[in-house]
Amino acid sequence: MSSNLATESTVAGAIGQSPKRIEDDRFIRGKGNYVDDVQLPGMLFMAIYRSPFAHATINSIDCSRALAMPGVLACITGKDLEAHKLAWMPTLAGDTQAVLATDKVRFQGQEVVAIIAKSQAQAVDAIEGIDVDYDPLPVVVDPKRALEADAPVIRSDLEGKTDNHIFTWESGDADATDRAFRDADIVISLDTLYPRIHPAPMETCGCVSDYNKATGKMTVHLTSQAPHAHRTLFALVAGLPEHKIRIISPDVGGGFGNKVPIYPGYVVATAASLLIGKPVKWIESRSENLISTGFARDYHMSGELAATKDGKMLGLRANVLADHGAFNAQAAPTKWPAGFFNIATGSYDLPAAYCKVEGVYTNKAPGGVAYRCSFRVTEAAYLIERLVDNLAHKTGIDAAELRKLNFIQPEQFPYRSPMGWEYDSGDYDKAMDIALELVEYKALRKEQAEKRERGEVMGIGFSSFTEIVGAGMSKICDIAGLAMIDSAELRIHPTGKGVLKLGVQSQGQGHETTFAQIVASELGIPSTDIVVEHGDTDHTPYGLGTYASRSTPTGGAATAIVARKLREKGRQIAAHMLECAPDDLEFDSGTFSVKGSPDRTKTIQECIFKAYQPELPEGMENGFEDVTYYDAPEMTYPFGTYICVVDVDKGTGEVKVRKFVAVDDCGTRINPMIVDGQIHGGLTQGFGTAMMELISFDEDGNCFGSNFMDYLIPTAVESPHWTLGECTTPSPHHPIGAKGIGESPTVGSPQAFVNAVVDALTPFGITNIDMPLSSHKVWKALRDAGVSDD
Amino acid sequence: MIPSSFEYVAPTSVEEAVKALVAGDGDAKVISGGQSLLPMMKLRLASPGTLVDINGIAGLDTLEEADGMLRIGALVRHGDLERSALIAERYPIILDAAQHIADPLIRNRGTFCGSVAHGDPAGDWATVAATLDAQLHAVGPKGAVTHSARDFQTSMFETQLGTDQILVEARIPCPKPGQGSAYLKIERKVGDYAAAAVGVMVVLAGDTITEASIGLTNVGPLTIHASAAAASLIGKSIGDAAALEEAGRLAMEASDPASDLRGPADYKKDLVRVLTKRALRKAGARAQGQEA
Ligand SMILES: Cc1cc2nc3c(=O)[nH]c(=O)nc-3n(C[C@H](O)[C@H](O)[C@H](O)COP(=O)(O)OP(=O)(O)OC[C@H]3O[C@@H](n4cnc5c(N)ncnc54)[C@H](O)[C@@H]3O)c2cc1C
């Protein structure tokens, strides 16, 4: 990195300071602008009739009762869409998905008929007026059953398809791994399900599609984490010319991966607006969001860890059955059917590793989105960290010691993992040591021993995770052929205040604050002098959007680079005005000064004003703006150690999280307060995953979890207190050394909770409980092990 | 999540409200806190033709002791009970329950009487009312009627209340000397209904139990008054672990839970056993002034 290390700037709002979030002014005052706030003259409303069955042939659809209801203008079926070649759409994973069902329905909640009415209430009322004649078909809920030879074929629409298999994906060296297992003293095996959960953002999905017949322009106000990519996909799916499509993603009320895919509702509402020539609003209800939009996880994992009796890890083997639901709508870079699951060796220097993932269709909602994680990294981190804790129990080696024995060492970076990733940097022992001290580890183990004597149940669980984020790297990552780059355009007005336009899209991460801070550091103007804009494809440069913790690694890098380009322009102008060579100037916190004569200075604001005046340096154009597209050379690898302490009630199975320490290393911290906020939020979601969240089904494919009474997410009342620690190992290849923080806590925390509970129950011979750790599951494990309540 | 359309009336007296119910001819519903009725309407599990809003009727918010009874008017909210000094001092079982019903927002709207009238075996107040032997005072077109809380619920979401009757007040006997009570509830998170909950009331003479009552929440199609379990305790010492265990076992036998997302039936039954013992210990300690 250059000597102008951004973190050294003293300008107001520079990197390392914690100014309050600019965007919160409007959110706190109720002045946010979400898609459902968009009101257009003549706007119509759409509601969707959905399948009550998980698998059934559609014999006929009768909309006559609905059409006779007040305010109803049209009912659109799959047949109607077929006429426009829109009954099916491509998914990000290269599959096709029904927009409105034509031949049969494949999951409960699938879209069958769209109703257009004058008001939202009228559209919703008319759902009861749709009559569909179905012939129920046998249902496949269990992914293992899906692979059996006599299982009903769900995707009979795919030509020649005779089974429910989607893909098989392998990584690593199977032979070397077999050899490692042959040499091992100990093999730890774990069969575990990372259950199906849902991102459940506060704002559900929806759109307002507004086709202007006169100009031929389609404007779509969309709940989108990736407006530019969605514009291109709209062009490809709907056949609209891309310059006549404008996607506006206003304030987004949480995404967490849920707003990466394109949903049938968007497509139908857009088609309806195109045909009718009026704006059409579609906002899904909470139940619709939970039962039909992108779920996450649902990985049935079998993991094995080979080690010597002294705890040296030798190899990892993982076999996964991935339940993708009725259509393969996983959101991941196109060439990565199981995402980056092969990061599964985590923080450990494992000589050999191999994994195999098989994807299958079942009669469940499609998805497999990266819920607050880089693609399938949560599942991978969970597996290795659960195995490591079980190895600790098996060998009797302390869980912290065992990890330290196997950590990749600082001098090994850049480190090539056995499944092919090149880790940029890390200092795992350091994060562990900070965490051990914060949690007062020695005293805790002593307390645990005393409690066990008294028959009380207490556990301590670890997670020393490594993430892989910032996709990133167009040489290996694309979405539908689009390189996963991102961009920043910076324009400073004559008086030194300006606007930064981004290709990434905030859903609450605080981009309007943090990206202005990067400019403050790099260009030396206060962060409040920069307005950050995003989310309007007509007015921002192209980018692939925000998910996979990629905004700071890609868009943040682009921002730093574009600011540096302008700083160089400023340097040329300053040198011109000070009549010295550009190289003779030093830059510090917004001021150029001549080396050796510190009183000869020009501020960046003076240089900017000059840029709009006559008599610039020879050959220089007026204006002070530039744009950068950034293609990351490598991923970034945030890491950390989390320690969780629990008490378990033997009578009721209730788990109380007493203490939770999280030490994160995300490289440079732009706004430490926002980083802490991201960690708090992510830990709470990880807590929800570990303790209560679950989308489950009965054998007929009926979905349990269609509202917040059934799909539980934690509130402030039950969430533990989080104790944070930090450690900073800057990324060597990122312009400001930042790695991304949005997802570390959701990736890193679930296994810490589970490890703590399993640690508590180890004396009773219990080695695993699958998430969520509901009281009744813990109770059952205790009673099955013969433990009574007193 | 939009209800079907409905008529709305907001009478200012009980008589007017009753008239509106009679005019509705079985298709009108009282709305008090709306915290059970509105979710059901939004999910379209209920589509009443008319809502009769009783929130504008004066005098229904009584919360006081009079003539040996605690009077809880139809518009007393869960939050009023949670914050009442009288309740905190004299009715620990009510305070326990109030702190664990739904979440703080819902507690600011939902009413004790509305909850009992709802006839939901998952409702915490129906159990408290049964445990404390409450009388439920209703008014209909033919005048006032009184029901006993112990046999008020007739089936899931059905009570003895006619569709043209309004529950105006619940009356609970004031505590006797030596009385202690407690309510213990296992919920998956704040805002959840009970996986199982147990309400207990005991009256002690020294260590000896002279009166006992046990109510169970959400472990059967009806709110359960576990009378055999309670009867088994009479004459026993509150410190007699075997007696408490036996009461727990009998309470468990009185329960008939269904397996669902809150857990399998055998788990819920075991919770009844464990919670009954714990609630008895807690109520006993309170009766003896050893615990708030
Ligand atoms: C998210 C959530 C969580 C909840 N958790 C719990 C919980 O843990 N425990 C619990 O006990 N409850 C819970 N509830 C329910 C809540 O306590 C309700 O407030 C209560 O059940 C009903 O009271 P209400 O005043 O809101 O009645 P309303 O919703 O207004 O009415 C309920 C029913 O009773 C009838 N009714 C109401 N008042 C009268 C009256 N005075 N006379 C005659 N009929 C009447 C109505 O017609 C309707 O049929 C929860 C509710 C929600 C939304």
Side-chain angles (χ1 to χ4, degrees):
Chain A
M1 267 172 289
S2 72
S3 60
N4 299 317
L5 185 60
T7 46
E8 289 161 9
S9 176
T10 57
V11 165
I15 290 174
Q17 300 174 23
S18 291
K20 294 224 170 87
R21 300 195 343 153
I22 305 250
E23 44 274 79
D24 286 348
D25 265 1
R26 68 176 187 278
F27 295 148
I28 288 168
R29 287 165 215 253
K31 297 283 184 196
N33 179 39
Y34 299 90
V35 169
D36 202 15
D37 294 321
V38 174
Q39 301 291 346
L40 299 176
M43 187 167 75
L44 305 175
F45 296 83
M46 186 176 96
I48 296 179
Y49 163 90
R50 295 169 182 276
S51 166
F53 294 107
H55 203 190
T57 308
I58 297 176
N59 295 324
S60 63
I61 300 176
D62 179 359
C63 303
S64 52
R65 284 198 306 120
L67 283 166
M69 291 171 80
V72 176
L73 301 174
C75 292
I76 304 169
T77 65
K79 285 242 153 49
D80 300 324
L81 292 182
E82 250 168 11
H84 301 273
K85 296 201 165 54
L86 280 176
W88 294 82
M89 64 178 189
T91 68
L92 295 177
D95 195 0
T96 51
Q97 174 175 357
V99 176
L100 293 175
T102 48
D103 51 339
K104 60 177 187 174
V105 290
R106 292 171 173 81
F107 67 94
Q108 186 185 55
Q110 188 178 341
E111 300 79 359
V112 183
V113 181
I115 300 154
I116 311 288
K118 285 185 184 153
S119 77
Q120 192 178 20
Q122 287 169 329
V124 171
D125 278 348
I127 291 174
E128 286 166 15
I130 302 290
D131 299 296
V132 181
D133 182 29
Y134 297 99
D135 271 336
L137 295 166
V139 173
V140 186
V141 174
D142 176 4
K144 295 186 187 85
R145 165 78 186 127
L147 286 180
E148 287 170 9
D150 63 339
V153 178
I154 296 166
R155 296 301 303 281
S156 41
D157 57 294
L158 298 174
E159 215 174 291
K161 190 84 187 142
T162 56
D163 60 20
N164 296 310
H165 179 261
I166 310 175
F167 66 85
T168 299
W169 181 77
E170 292 173 279
S171 180
D173 185 335
D175 294 338
T177 306
D178 287 348
R179 282 196 297 279
F181 274 81
R182 272 203 298 277
D183 296 342
D185 303 322
I186 297 175
V187 173
I188 298 291
S189 304
L190 179 69
D191 281 336
T192 181
L193 167 64
Y194 202 128
R196 177 177 279 236
I197 56 175
H198 199 281
M202 205 187 297
E203 178 201 32
T204 59
C205 299
C207 66
V208 179
S209 297
D210 179 19
Y211 183 64
N212 184 323
K213 277 189 165 167
T215 62
K217 185 140 182 170
M218 176 65 80
T219 303
V220 187
H221 305 260
L222 190 68
T223 50
S224 171
Q225 295 179 226
H228 295 277
H230 282 166
R231 185 187 67 201
T232 305
L233 293 170
F234 265 74
L236 296 173
V237 174
L240 296 166
E242 195 169 354
H243 66 303
K244 294 284 177 86
I245 308 173
R246 177 180 179 193
I247 307 279
I248 301 175
S249 198
D251 288 326
V252 179
F256 312 116
N258 189 230
K259 291 167 182 165
V260 172
I262 291 200
Y263 292 115
Y266 304 158
V267 177
V268 194
T270 304
S273 177
L274 197 70
L275 294 176
I276 301 169
K278 287 194 170 192
V280 175
K281 179 186 273 192
W282 170 67
I283 303 289
E284 64 183 9
S285 69
R286 176 61 57 193
S287 292
E288 291 180 290
N289 180 256
L290 286 169
I291 64 171
S292 74
T293 65
F295 74 91
R297 328 294 190 233
D298 218 345
Y299 258 34
H300 296 249
M301 304 188 280
S302 292
E304 290 169 291
L305 185 60
T308 67
K309 57 181 181 313
D310 320 320
K312 191 76 199 149
M313 298 177 202
L314 302 174
L316 171 75
R317 193 154 48 202
N319 281 290
V320 179
L321 194 53
D323 186 341
H324 282 231
F327 306 100
N328 184 16
Q330 167 171 274
T334 300
K335 293 190 199 76
W336 297 85
F340 304 155
F341 183 78
N342 57 346
I343 191 72
T345 50
S347 306
Y348 309 101
D349 188 10
L350 272 161
Y354 166 78
C355 72
K356 178 170 149 191
V357 183
E358 266 184 296
V360 299
Y361 293 120
T362 56
N363 287 118
K364 301 180 197 164
V369 300
Y371 166 23
R372 206 165 179 168
C373 67
S374 218
F375 324 101
R376 303 297 184 182
V377 178
T378 33
E379 292 91 326
Y382 184 80
L383 185 65
I384 182 73
E385 288 302 310
R386 283 287 298 110
L387 282 166
V388 170
D389 255 39
N390 279 15
L391 178 64
H393 292 136
K394 179 87 176 184
T395 55
I397 302 172
D398 176 84
E401 278 313 307
L402 180 72
R403 284 180 167 79
K404 288 183 143 211
L405 192 66
N406 291 283
F407 277 155
I408 300 159
Q409 293 302 304
E411 62 276 8
Q412 287 176 276
F413 293 94
Y415 168 83
R416 183 155 278 275
S417 80
M419 290 194 277
W421 293 107
E422 187 157 307
Y423 293 20
D424 62 349
S425 59
D427 191 345
Y428 302 149
D429 283 281
K430 193 166 162 199
M432 171 65 91
D433 288 337
I434 296 171
L436 290 175
E437 201 174 308
L438 272 175
V439 84
E440 299 177 44
Y441 187 55
K442 284 216 177 79
L444 277 177
R445 283 292 183 203
K446 188 158 165 272
E447 181 193 342
Q448 185 185 34
E450 288 163 7
K451 287 209 155 138
R452 282 187 175 163
E453 288 289 308
R454 295 200 298 270
E456 291 170 42
V457 187
M458 166 190 168
I460 305 167
F462 283 83
S463 167
S464 293
F465 64 95
T466 283
E467 267 204 290
I468 167 169
V469 307
M473 291 173 79
S474 68
K475 60 184 175 211
I476 59 163
C477 292
D478 69 272
I479 286 184
L482 301 166
M484 292 185 72
I485 48 85
D486 234 289
S487 61
E489 184 184 313
L490 183 57
R491 176 183 303 170
I492 314 289
H493 310 314
T495 54
K497 300 174 201 275
V499 50
L500 174 72
K501 300 180 176 212
L502 299 173
V504 293
Q505 168 66 40
S506 177
Q507 309 122 44
Q509 291 89 340
H511 290 175
E512 290 167 46
T513 308
T514 51
F515 282 73
Q517 290 188 255
I518 298 176
V519 176
S521 279
E522 295 291 347
L523 201 52
I525 56 182
S527 63
T528 46
D529 286 353
I530 298 295
V531 166
V532 175
E533 289 184 357
H534 49 209
D536 182 342
T537 56
D538 269 8
H539 297 291
T540 53
Y542 204 86
L544 272 272
T546 294
Y547 42 84
S549 291
R550 70 186 295 281
S551 295
T552 297
T554 61
T559 299
I561 290 170
V562 78
R564 285 176 192 178
K565 284 188 194 171
L566 289 184
R567 187 172 73 208
E568 281 319 299
K569 179 161 189 172
R571 182 189 297 276
Q572 302 288 335
I573 296 173
H576 181 65
M577 291 194 288
L578 291 165
E579 298 180 338
C580 67
D583 286 349
D584 289 341
L585 290 174
E586 277 172 341
F587 181 76
D588 181 25
S589 304
T591 303
F592 291 103
S593 55
V594 180
K595 284 179 196 160
S597 4
D599 53 331
R600 289 179 63 206
T601 61
K602 285 286 169 198
T603 65
I604 189 75
Q605 284 84 0
E606 290 172 295
C607 300
I608 293 164
F609 200 81
K610 182 73 196 163
Y612 290 90
Q613 290 183 320
E615 291 168 23
L616 284 176
E618 189 65 35
M620 183 183 282
E621 289 179 8
N622 281 109
F624 208 76
E625 63 182 85
D626 216 324
V627 61
T628 287
Y629 286 80
Y630 183 78
D631 183 5
E634 276 297 336
M635 306 286 186
T636 59
Y637 294 79
F639 61 92
T641 285
Y642 294 169
I643 307 177
C644 174
V645 186
V646 299
D647 296 305
V648 177
D649 184 327
K650 284 191 293 181
T652 63
E654 286 176 298
V655 173
K656 172 112 190 82
V657 176
R658 191 207 309 173
K659 212 170 190 183
F660 196 103
V661 163
V663 178
D664 271 291
D665 191 326
C666 58
T668 303
R669 295 183 174 215
I670 298 166
N671 181 318
M673 174 195 72
I674 289 181
V675 169
D676 284 357
Q678 290 285 305
I679 296 170
H680 282 182
L683 289 176
T684 306
Q685 286 178 306
F687 170 70
T689 304
M691 306 308 293
M692 58 183 81
E693 298 191 29
L694 178 68
I695 301 267
S696 60
F697 299 83
D698 68 10
E699 57 191 19
D700 296 324
N702 294 308
C703 177
F704 299 130
S706 63
N707 59 61
F708 284 155
M709 286 304 281
D710 292 336
Y711 189 76
L712 306 182
I713 53 176
T715 71
V717 178
E718 51 275 337
S719 298
H721 177 79
W722 312 115
T723 304
L724 305 189
E726 79 174 83
C727 167
T728 304
T729 314
S731 167
H733 62 73
H734 186 273
I736 58 166
K739 295 181 175 178
I741 186 60
E743 303 169 335
S744 292
T746 14
V747 169
S749 66
Q751 53 272 24
F753 298 102
V754 179
N755 281 338
V757 172
V758 172
D759 182 59
L761 304 183
T762 308
F764 312 119
I766 294 161
T767 56
N768 186 45
I769 306 181
D770 280 343
M771 299 186 290
L773 300 182
S774 333
S775 305
H776 66 82
K777 282 201 212 162
V778 177
W779 169 87
K780 181 156 182 7
L782 284 164
R783 293 293 180 275
D784 285 351
V787 183
S788 70
D789 58 306
D790 295 311
Chain B
M1 304 270 159
I2 298 174
S4 314
S5 58
F6 54 86
E7 296 295 321
Y8 171 85
V9 292
T12 52
S13 71
V14 172
E15 294 69 37
E16 263 181 77
V18 169
K19 272 195 197 127
L21 287 176
V22 171
D25 195 18
D27 194 29
K29 278 220 158 265
V30 173
I31 180 163
S32 48
Q35 298 305 302
S36 290
L37 186 53
L38 290 180
M40 291 182 81
M41 288 169 65
K42 287 183 174 185
L43 291 167
R44 300 204 173 203
L45 298 171
S47 311
T50 305
L51 287 189
V52 180
D53 185 344
I54 61 169
N55 285 277
I57 301 178
L60 290 184
D61 56 355
T62 309
L63 177 60
E64 62 178 27
E65 285 182 339
D67 304 326
M69 301 294 263
L70 171 71
R71 299 175 56 201
I72 303 176
L75 291 177
V76 172
R77 321 278 167 180
H78 312 331
D80 297 333
L81 295 163
E82 188 183 4
R83 290 183 286 266
S84 154
L86 171 66
I87 297 298
E89 199 187 315
R90 305 217 342 128
Y91 301 87
I93 182 176
I94 296 183
L95 181 60
D96 286 348
Q99 288 170 337
H100 288 99
I101 288 190
D103 61 41
L105 284 79
I106 290 166
R107 296 206 283 269
N108 284 337
R109 294 297 305 164
T111 65
F112 183 99
C113 288
S115 172
V116 173
H118 191 43
D120 183 353
D124 296 300
W125 289 132
T127 303
V128 170
T131 306
L132 296 182
D133 200 12
Q135 299 167 7
L136 305 173
H137 292 262
V139 174
K142 297 200 192 83
V145 255
T146 302
H147 303 282
S148 159
R150 290 194 173 159
D151 56 13
F152 185 58
Q153 200 202 347
T154 50
S155 66
M156 192 79 133
F157 301 122
E158 298 285 342
T159 67
Q160 297 193 3
L161 214 58
T163 54
D164 51 9
Q165 292 180 354
I166 296 173
L167 182 54
V168 289
E169 193 168 292
R171 291 189 196 158
I172 289 170
C174 292
K176 299 177 181 163
Q179 179 168 324
S181 63
Y183 191 77
L184 292 182
K185 171 176 175 179
I186 300 299
E187 54 183 1
R188 298 170 299 174
K189 59 170 276 198
V190 67
D192 189 23
Y193 288 92
V198 175
V200 154
M201 186 279 288
V202 289
V203 179
L204 302 185
D207 280 347
T208 308
I209 303 171
T210 59
E211 263 185 61
S213 170
I214 299 174
L216 312 178
T217 308
N218 216 12
V219 284
L222 300 180
T223 299
I224 293 168
H225 181 231
S227 44
S232 77
L233 289 161
I234 305 303
K236 300 279 166 46
S237 162
I238 190 71
D240 179 346
L244 266 49
E245 184 68 49
E246 177 62 6
R249 197 187 61 76
L250 288 169
M252 179 170 88
E253 273 184 7
S255 72
D256 181 20
S259 298
D260 60 18
L261 294 178
R262 292 189 180 85
D266 58 346
Y267 167 65
K268 296 180 181 180
K269 286 185 100 100
D270 199 45
L271 281 184
V272 169
R273 183 183 65 85
V274 171
L275 294 182
T276 300
K277 288 193 294 178
R278 290 183 183 178
L280 282 168
R281 283 202 290 268
K282 192 163 200 162
R286 284 170 170 170
Q288 295 175 328
Q290 290 160 0
E291 196 211 297

